[in-house]
Amino acid sequence: MKGVVFTEFFDLVEESFSLEVADKIIQKSKLENDGAYTAVGTYDYCEMVTLVTHLGEETGLPVPELLRIFGRHLFTRFHAGYPVFFEGVETAIDFLHKIENVIHVEVRKLYPDAELPTFEYEYVAPDEMHMVYRSARPFTEFAHGLVEGCVAHFGDKYDIAREDLEIDSGSAARFVVTAKA
Amino acid sequence: MSDLDLLKRKLERERNARKAAEQLLEAKSLELYQANQELERSLTDLKNTQVQLIQASKMESLGTLAGGIAHEINTPIQYIGDNLRFLSDGFNDLKGLIDCYEAAIEKIGEAEGAAAELAALKEEKESADPDYLFDEAVDAAKQSLDGISQVSRIVLAMKEFAHPRTKEKLPVTLNAIVERATTICRGEWKQNAELEMVLEDGLPEVPGSEGELNQVVLNLVVNASHAIGDSDQSKGRITVTSQSTETGVRLEVRDNGGGVPEAARERVFDAFFTTKEVGKGSGQGLAICHDVIVNKHGGTIRFETETGVGTAFIIDLPFETVSVSDTEAA
């Protein structure tokens, strides 16, 4: 997992909770690098699982909710850091469609060994898109938060429903994105 | 734990993260340097390959034309041979006649039996028909000289085509290039089409590389011939026109073949793109034309085509050449 996800995570923890909470979860997690993450590095995703689990313990908030919050936060950071991907995009559905077909393509150019989740799209009606997410990691909630962040960014004009899919390993879910009546 | 301690620990993490980032940067810089070296090597290989391909394409053009050229040379050589054989036999006869004259004159000088000798001489003269011989000998010699001139023109054109005097851009006369290139590839077009040349008298010179422009005209005329050959056209016609414009000179090679297929129009100037069957074209011809005209002469090349009517390739060469490759190098 790219280091930027970790650095953004700690920014969120420090801003939303405190520096003390951030320090505590680092200590409890007994990390190999003692929490010294750099945005350009690559780290084991299990460290993120451990950190979020300990954040849940510290704050009393459910881990799924924390991951959704983090997903929404990361989307705002993504918009600030990579405005080029938003040029000419007018709707949340258009942007979500770009994730697999444009953004992941660009990510692979920079990081050929990146292990990215995949998205498949199906347009069942002019104002309804189904998006199937598959990942080798247990981050469906995090993906859900990103989708929510995307919809919010484009004016909150869509409802999001999620159906978790059973697969042999990793995680998968179908997101149903429908225009609000 | 006090805020100060927390900040100290955070600072320590940030410092360690920075060191990790610096190590990563160093490793990535090394990778980038190595990749750049590899890229430079690939670029050099690519340039070498491009040169080889252009040379191979030129050789392919020459190879394709070799059969036609052999035929072109063979025809005048054949009648030169016939004429020379005729002259040889004729002059042998003439020599015999002259021998008789000399013998007769010698005997006439002795007076007795002169009448009989003179009659024999007359008979010999009628048999040899020297008037006919002399008339035909002049024609045969003239025809042979024309044939020799034709062979010389073909050989010279071949020589200049294969080894242009210089690759530098010097003032060139486009009409001379057209005449030379169409002579070289006569064997290609004459089976499929009549060639009409509408060349402006006194066409101004433009700066150009003679060898490269030879190749361009040859490619366009051979392509026109192939286009006619591939069509249902029974009366093929290729029209090569040159004219001056306000900014330079224009060359147009027009054929009445089947036209460029619609699906191919976007790609006609792409390297390795060809609509010809396997083995008949490398797909380099028009790509080379485009490179020579646009990149090396600062000119333009475009085409007009209509299905079933034909195609015209139109080249504009400026009086002042600004080579794109030169500009890029600067």
Side-chain angles (χ1 to χ4, degrees):
Chain A
M1 180 174 265
K2 295 312 297 177
V4 67
V5 180
F6 288 86
T7 57
E8 287 296 338
F9 174 76
F10 284 113
D11 284 351
L12 176 69
V13 172
E14 288 176 18
E15 284 168 20
S16 303
F17 302 103
S18 68
L19 178 58
E20 188 176 5
V21 170
D23 189 76
K24 273 187 182 172
I25 64 172
I26 287 170
Q27 301 311 318
K28 285 174 79 172
S29 298
K30 301 189 187 315
L31 301 162
E32 194 179 334
N33 63 0
D34 201 24
Y37 292 102
T38 170
V40 290
T42 304
Y43 305 93
D44 189 340
Y45 77 91
C46 294
E47 292 181 9
M48 178 56 73
V49 175
T50 308
L51 285 164
V52 176
T53 304
H54 288 139
L55 181 63
E57 289 169 5
E58 278 298 314
T59 60
L61 292 169
V63 168
E65 190 179 331
L66 286 170
L67 283 169
R68 292 263 284 267
I69 292 169
F70 181 41
R72 289 197 292 270
H73 165 80
L74 201 63
F75 190 88
T76 62
R77 302 304 303 147
F78 184 74
H79 175 250
Y82 304 96
V84 66
F85 289 125
F86 290 79
E87 286 172 7
V89 181
E90 293 180 358
T91 69
I93 281 186
D94 288 346
F95 187 85
L96 290 170
H97 189 86
K98 281 184 80 171
I99 295 174
E100 182 70 22
N101 302 308
V102 178
I103 297 169
H104 281 181
V105 173
E106 294 301 317
V107 171
R108 284 193 185 91
K109 287 180 192 170
L110 274 177
Y111 306 105
D113 53 349
E115 293 175 16
L116 302 171
T118 62
F119 291 93
E120 287 170 20
Y121 306 92
E122 186 186 357
Y123 294 86
V124 295
D127 53 0
E128 183 176 331
M129 181 186 76
H130 292 192
M131 185 169 84
V132 175
Y133 158 89
R134 286 188 181 84
S135 173
R137 298 151 185 175
F139 288 137
T140 307
E141 294 291 349
F142 177 57
H144 196 153
L146 281 166
V147 175
E148 286 177 334
C150 175
V151 168
H153 175 82
F154 287 98
D156 212 13
K157 295 174 183 168
Y158 293 91
D159 288 320
I160 304 160
R162 191 182 98 206
E163 176 195 350
D164 288 336
L165 305 174
E166 284 190 15
I167 55 171
D168 292 340
S169 64
S171 59
R174 174 181 287 107
F175 292 97
V176 177
V177 184
T178 317
K180 285 181 175 171
Chain B
M1 187 177 289
S2 71
D3 285 351
L4 185 61
D5 287 338
L6 285 172
L7 285 169
K8 276 183 182 172
R9 285 161 72 136
K10 182 176 179 182
L11 183 64
E12 185 59 24
R13 283 198 295 274
E14 294 289 346
R15 187 179 291 137
N16 290 336
R18 194 198 68 210
K19 283 179 186 169
E22 284 168 354
Q23 283 173 357
L24 199 60
L25 182 65
E26 196 175 331
K28 290 287 174 191
S29 297
L30 183 64
E31 276 179 28
L32 205 60
Y33 172 76
Q34 288 167 341
N36 194 41
Q37 294 286 96
E38 182 63 30
L39 209 57
E40 280 181 11
R41 278 194 293 276
S42 300
L43 189 63
T44 305
D45 290 346
L46 206 59
K47 282 181 177 170
N48 290 339
T49 306
Q50 188 185 24
V51 169
Q52 286 166 9
L53 275 174
I54 290 172
Q55 186 62 18
S57 171
K58 197 169 169 179
M59 290 299 108
E60 181 189 277
S61 300
L62 285 173
T64 307
L65 299 173
I69 289 167
H71 176 72
E72 289 300 302
I73 291 174
N74 196 42
T75 304
I77 287 290
Q78 202 164 355
Y79 64 72
I80 288 169
D82 290 344
N83 289 339
L84 290 176
R85 269 190 294 279
F86 166 76
L87 287 174
S88 174
D89 293 347
F91 278 101
N92 275 337
D93 292 345
L94 191 62
K95 188 173 182 302
L97 178 64
I98 290 168
D99 289 346
C100 286
Y101 279 149
E102 285 174 351
I105 288 165
E106 199 174 322
K107 286 185 178 174
I108 287 167
E110 294 167 1
E112 281 187 27
E117 289 300 331
L118 284 172
L121 188 61
K122 191 178 176 187
E123 191 180 334
E124 185 69 22
K125 185 187 174 191
E126 279 171 4
S127 166
D129 197 0
D131 294 338
Y132 168 78
L133 187 65
F134 284 121
D135 287 347
E136 288 300 308
V138 171
D139 285 348
K142 186 176 177 302
Q143 200 179 16
S144 298
L145 288 171
D146 289 346
I148 290 290
S149 297
Q150 192 176 339
V151 171
S152 297
R153 275 200 306 278
I154 292 168
V155 172
L156 183 67
M158 272 290 287
K159 197 173 151 191
E160 291 192 355
F161 184 87
H163 303 288
R165 288 187 194 95
T166 174
K167 287 186 174 179
E168 290 173 22
K169 287 187 192 63
L170 297 172
V172 294
T173 311
L174 207 55
N175 287 353
I177 288 170
V178 169
E179 280 166 4
R180 184 184 308 132
T182 51
T183 300
I184 289 278
C185 64
R186 186 164 179 268
E188 281 287 321
W189 55 258
K190 75 169 189 178
Q191 290 172 356
N192 296 330
E194 285 182 9
L195 180 75
E196 183 185 13
M197 293 207 276
V198 187
L199 307 180
E200 182 179 298
D201 283 340
L203 189 74
E205 293 178 328
V206 286
S209 164
E210 203 170 279
E212 289 172 340
L213 293 174
N214 279 341
Q215 177 88 38
V216 169
V217 177
L218 183 130
N219 284 349
L220 292 181
V221 173
V222 170
N223 270 5
S225 170
H226 288 174
I228 291 167
D230 292 341
S231 73
D232 302 329
Q233 184 59 257
S234 58
K235 288 187 178 176
R237 173 166 287 273
I238 300 169
T239 308
V240 184
T241 310
S242 70
Q243 63 182 98
S244 50
T245 65
E246 283 186 13
T247 54
V249 295
R250 174 170 296 173
L251 177 75
E252 182 181 297
V253 179
R254 183 176 290 276
D255 67 66
N256 63 348
V260 180
E262 203 157 333
R265 290 177 191 173
E266 293 281 315
R267 302 185 57 198
V268 291
F269 294 119
D270 289 0
F272 302 110
F273 180 75
T274 180
T275 57
K276 295 172 188 171
E277 61 193 75
V278 174
K280 277 195 83 176
S282 65
Q284 288 288 285
L286 287 173
I288 289 171
C289 291
H290 187 272
D291 181 50
V292 167
I293 298 301
V294 177
N295 297 334
K296 294 179 176 164
H297 287 78
T300 61
I301 179 167
R302 62 193 168 86
F303 67 96
E304 295 168 356
T305 188
E306 194 174 337
T307 304
V309 175
T311 305
F313 279 87
I314 300 151
I315 289 171
D316 279 298
L317 288 171
F319 286 130
E320 289 185 16
T321 300
V322 179
S323 162
V324 172
S325 47
D326 290 350
T327 312
E328 282 172 355

